[in-house]
Amino acid sequence: MALAIAIIAVVLAGLSLYWQFRTWRRSGPVIRVSTFAAPVSMKAPNGTLISVPDGPWTMALSATNVGRMEATVVMRGFHLRNTAGETCDALYPDDKTLPASVRPHASAQFVIRHEEIESGMAERRMTAARGFVRLATGEVVDAPDDCVTIQAF
């Protein structure tokens, strides 16, 4: 009987430690970055959003905080790379939206015109772009590989 109680106690202690570790990892801000392409939209008189026919496209960076503390985004941009593996950063500072506070379980959206990104890629002779944000802590958070990226041919 005492052995069974001891085994149950060890199992419960292990589960408790596992749960404490999981919650500790999420105790601060945890930012997830995603990118998506979208046509420029405008608000119709009835309040709905409609796409501008044959209008310009934009790239949107979304920084979502899945942690428990607020985070501050201070810079946004794209990592550029070419076929030779060389990389550089294209930063898009914006005095209107940065710095941006991202509360827990909320997100911040940043929109960059597609032409701006493509011209920056052409100037530097880069062939691909991948979104990122820089936090006030200095941490750089990249969009995952399976997010929308820009490919120039």
Side-chain angles (χ1 to χ4, degrees), residues 31-34 61-65 73 102-103 106-110 133 135:
I31 301 294
R32 303 271 190 258
V33 176
S34 60
L61 281 171
S62 176
T64 303
N65 187 354
V73 175
V102 185
R103 293 185 173 176
S107 63
Q109 308 287 332
F110 307 103
V133 296
L135 304 178

Side-chain angles (χ1 to χ4, degrees), residues 86-107:
E86 299 167 337
T87 62
C88 69
D89 290 342
L91 303 176
Y92 296 93
D94 185 358
D95 295 334
K96 296 175 190 166
T97 59
L98 293 174
S101 292
V102 185
R103 293 185 173 176
H105 308 289
S107 63

Side-chain angles (χ1 to χ4, degrees), residues 7 13 16 23 27 32 36 41 45 48 62 67 69 76 82-83 89 92 94 99 112 116 128 131 139 153:
I7 291 172
S16 175
T23 58
S27 63
R32 303 271 190 258
F36 51 93
S41 301
T48 60
S62 176
M69 287 180 58
R76 63 192 167 94
N82 63 15
T83 54
D89 290 342
Y92 296 93
D94 185 358
I112 304 165
E116 285 183 57
E139 180 183 2
F153 299 102

